[in-house]
């Protein structure tokens, strides 16, 4: 009968002299000695039910001492206790010291810098969502190792949403362009549309094939709708009228402040604050709107907001405006923003106003970037003429034989 020999306890005095075998040294640390005389330290652990091993280096005289190996084992156990894989942690630190960066860390740093040039809170929130949520699958990848397949993996789940996927692709490209500029990856960009993604991605619906993404009321039905709306004596009904007659965006009227309104000259001055295209916006007020605002100012309950919320310190909700629109028309698909399209269709089919002035009424500045740079005039008188004509049309007394409201 062969007797089993017990392996000696590894100490600072004998770890250099024990024969071939694997020797436990405590704290998941092992000394591994090969028949050829090689000696190395290994740390064994379990992660998500899988047995893993991580080498600590040579155990020869010129290598790591027993005390040093034990210290490394204790550090690894601490990482495990925090939920971190010690081998992955070591690889991350190693690549970082070599000048490489993980996408998540680099992208977040880029975002914080890039958003300093963004005026609007909504735009910054959109950028943050793309970087932190949509690009999450790229988070642990090293920027120099990202390939087109990784980008496709991010884009495919959101590809049915053209605007979202387009924005995400553009942001990923900018981030990787920044990495290229800092010599963190090769000069080729896997998020480039023409050379990398367009040949392999599915075809999308063309942008702008239908004017406006919001369902709009037929302009012929507008006078009847305004007549019904005028019978409702609430602040929300008046706010909806102001939106329609000033061609403003919902958020602009929600946040309309008395300090912005020049009641003497009939001008609503938003400045740059809250405008979508970051251009100065001053809106001439039609007679109907100006009359209402002067009356409202005399009896206002808030020194700040024209349409205050319940607390008077915050703007009103837009939900009641949408509620009136749906109740008065019976169409659940209509949107408040769609009245801008109603105006545009009316101007195109019923008037001969200059297209450039009509677009300017919507705060759309036409032309390429060079042309826009020189278009600093406001055309207030021309715009007021267009807007007053529209306001007169919208508030005219409807005919008795008005047909049911249709959708454009």
């Amino acid at each position: 009968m062969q007797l089993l020999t017990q392996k000696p306890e590894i100490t600072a005095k004998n770890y250099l002299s024990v024969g071939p075998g694997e020797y436990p040294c405590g704290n998941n640390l092992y000394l591994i000695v090969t028949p050829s005389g090689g000696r190395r330290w290994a740390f064994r652990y379990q992660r998500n039910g899988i047995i893993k091993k991580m080498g600590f280096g040579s155990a020869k005289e010129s290598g790591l001492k027993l005390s040093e190996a034990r210290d490394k084992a204790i550090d690894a156990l601490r990482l495990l206790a925090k939920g971190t894989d010690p081998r992955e942690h070591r690889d991350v630190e190693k690549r970082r010291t070599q000048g490489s960066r993980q996408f998540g860390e680099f992208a977040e740093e880029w975002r914080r810098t890039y958003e300093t040039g963004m005026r609007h809170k909504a735009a910054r929130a959109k950028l943050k969502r793309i970087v932190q949520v949509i690009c999450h699958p790229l988070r642990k990848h090293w920027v120099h190792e990202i390939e087109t397949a990784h980008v496709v993996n991010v884009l495919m789940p959101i590809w049915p949403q053209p605007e979202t996927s387009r924005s995400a692709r553009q942001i990923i490209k900018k981030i990787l362009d920044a990495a290229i500029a800092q010599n963190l990856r090769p000069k080729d960009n896997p998020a480039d549309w023409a050379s990398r993604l367009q040949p392999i991605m599915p075809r999308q619906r063309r942008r702008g094939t239908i004017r406006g993404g919001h369902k709009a009321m037929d302009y012929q039905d507008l006078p009847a709708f305004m007549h019904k709306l005028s019978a409702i004596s609430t602040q929300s009904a008046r706010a909806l009228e102001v939106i329609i007659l000033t061609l403003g965006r919902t958020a602009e009227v929600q946040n309309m402040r008395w300090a912005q309104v020049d009641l003497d000259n009939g001008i609503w001055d938003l400045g740059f604050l809250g405008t979508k295209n970051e251009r100065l916006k001053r809106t001439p007020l039609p007679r109907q709107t100006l009359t209402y605002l002067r009356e409202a100012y005399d009896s206002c309950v808030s020194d700040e907001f024209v349409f205050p919320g319940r607390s008077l310190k915050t703007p009103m909700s837009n939900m009641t405006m949408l509620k009136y629109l749906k109740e008065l028309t019976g169409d659940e698909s209509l949107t408040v923003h769609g009245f801008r399209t109603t105006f545009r269709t009316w101007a195109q089919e019923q008037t001969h106003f200059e297209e450039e002035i009509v677009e300017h009424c919507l705060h759309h500045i036409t032309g390429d970037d060079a042309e826009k740079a020189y278009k600093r005039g406001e055309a207030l008188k021309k715009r007021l003429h267009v807007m007053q004509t529209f306001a007169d049309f919208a508030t005219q007394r409807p005919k008795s034989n008005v047909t049911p409201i249709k959708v454009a």
Side-chain angles (χ1 to χ4, degrees):
M1 181 177 178
Q2 187 178 4
L3 295 176
L4 295 176
T5 58
Q6 186 175 6
K7 292 183 178 179
E9 179 183 354
I10 297 300
T11 66
K13 294 182 178 180
N14 69 0
Y15 80 92
L16 291 172
S17 59
V18 294
E22 296 187 5
Y23 303 89
C25 305
N27 293 325
N28 293 17
L29 178 68
Y30 288 82
L31 171 66
I32 300 176
V33 183
T34 64
S36 62
R39 296 172 186 272
R40 67 180 187 275
W41 302 110
F43 177 78
R44 291 178 179 173
Y45 62 102
Q46 185 171 310
R47 177 82 169 162
N48 298 327
I50 300 174
I51 302 297
K52 294 187 175 183
K53 184 168 65 175
M54 177 173 67
F56 282 167
S58 172
K60 293 185 176 181
E61 190 170 357
S62 59
L64 212 63
K65 296 180 180 178
L66 174 60
S67 60
E68 295 172 328
R70 282 176 172 164
D71 288 343
K72 291 176 75 70
I74 292 173
D75 290 340
L77 288 172
R78 286 172 178 162
L79 288 172
L80 283 170
K82 295 178 181 179
T84 301
D85 189 311
R87 192 168 67 185
E88 291 181 3
H89 178 78
R90 178 197 63 187
D91 293 343
V92 167
E93 292 302 315
K94 181 179 178 181
R95 289 185 174 179
R96 185 175 285 112
T97 58
Q98 293 173 348
S100 189
R101 302 284 299 278
Q102 285 183 303
F103 181 89
E105 177 188 43
F106 182 79
E108 185 63 19
E109 182 180 293
W110 174 87
R111 179 189 69 82
R112 288 194 293 266
T113 301
Y114 188 80
E115 72 176 10
T116 58
M118 304 175 77
R119 290 179 180 270
H120 301 295
K121 183 178 180 180
R124 293 194 297 271
K126 179 181 178 181
L127 175 64
K128 185 175 182 179
R129 181 177 181 274
I130 290 174
V131 171
Q132 296 184 353
V133 179
I134 295 178
C135 293
H136 187 268
L138 295 174
R139 186 170 59 89
K140 290 190 176 182
H141 287 284
W142 298 92
V143 291
H144 70 279
E145 296 177 347
I146 292 177
E147 298 178 353
T148 299
H150 297 125
V151 180
V152 171
N153 184 51
V154 171
L155 296 178
M156 284 304 293
I158 57 173
W159 201 244
Q161 306 168 46
E163 291 297 328
T164 302
S165 59
R166 185 179 297 110
S167 297
R169 177 185 60 78
Q170 291 171 346
I171 292 302
I172 294 172
K173 183 178 184 299
K174 287 180 179 179
I175 293 171
L176 295 179
D177 279 340
I180 292 171
Q182 296 183 32
N183 297 317
L184 294 175
R185 65 165 289 114
K187 291 186 177 181
D188 66 301
N189 193 318
D192 182 73
W193 172 245
S195 63
R196 293 299 194 91
L197 294 171
Q198 188 176 29
I200 61 176
M201 294 298 289
R203 186 181 179 88
Q204 283 183 318
R205 176 176 60 83
R206 287 183 60 191
R207 183 180 185 180
T209 52
I210 300 175
R211 183 181 179 88
H214 302 267
K215 207 168 184 181
M217 180 183 295
D218 191 304
Y219 69 85
Q220 296 178 13
D221 297 317
L222 184 59
F225 172 78
M226 293 291 284
H227 183 68
K228 291 180 180 179
L229 189 63
S230 65
I232 303 174
S233 59
T234 65
Q235 175 183 254
S236 297
R238 302 291 79 75
L240 184 52
E241 287 178 349
V242 171
I243 286 177
I244 295 170
L245 299 185
T246 64
L247 311 175
R249 294 181 171 87
T250 302
E252 294 172 349
V253 174
Q254 267 184 281
N255 293 280
M256 192 179 196
R257 289 166 164 79
W258 288 116
Q260 299 171 338
V261 182
D262 183 347
L263 294 175
D264 294 329
N265 296 303
I267 298 293
W268 175 20
D269 187 352
L270 281 85
F272 293 99
L273 184 64
T275 61
K276 184 176 180 181
N277 56 14
E278 300 185 0
R279 293 179 68 98
L280 179 68
K281 183 175 184 180
R282 295 206 310 158
T283 299
L285 297 172
R287 180 180 62 258
Q288 294 87 335
T289 300
L290 189 56
T291 299
Y292 163 71
L293 290 175
R294 285 171 175 166
E295 293 174 354
Y297 183 73
D298 292 336
S299 59
C300 65
V301 294
S302 170
D303 294 332
E304 183 176 5
F305 292 103
V306 176
F307 301 106
R310 292 184 179 180
S311 70
L312 302 184
K313 295 182 180 179
T314 57
M316 63 176 289
S317 166
N318 67 333
M319 296 310 295
T320 49
M321 291 186 282
L322 186 61
K323 176 185 174 183
Y324 287 141
L325 174 59
K326 292 181 177 181
E327 285 182 352
L328 295 178
T329 62
D331 191 334
E332 292 289 322
S333 64
L334 288 174
T335 65
V336 174
H337 194 83
F339 283 109
R340 290 164 59 84
T341 302
T342 301
F343 160 77
R344 187 64 183 84
T345 307
W346 166 83
Q348 181 177 348
E349 295 186 2
Q350 296 294 315
T351 76
H352 297 286
F353 294 126
E354 297 175 54
E355 182 177 355
E356 183 175 343
I357 299 300
V358 171
E359 290 292 336
H360 202 160
C361 289
L362 295 167
H363 204 223
H364 294 161
I365 312 303
T366 58
D368 57 25
D369 290 342
E371 290 179 292
K372 291 177 181 178
Y374 289 98
K375 289 182 178 178
R376 297 299 177 184
E378 297 182 273
L380 287 173
K381 290 184 178 180
K382 290 185 177 181
R383 287 160 57 202
L384 179 58
H385 179 49
V386 174
M387 294 173 67
Q388 186 61 62
T389 304
F390 177 67
D392 292 341
F393 163 77
T395 57
Q396 66 180 305
R397 189 173 184 84
K399 297 179 182 178
S400 58
N401 60 342
V402 175
T403 56
I405 292 177
K406 303 184 289 296
V407 174

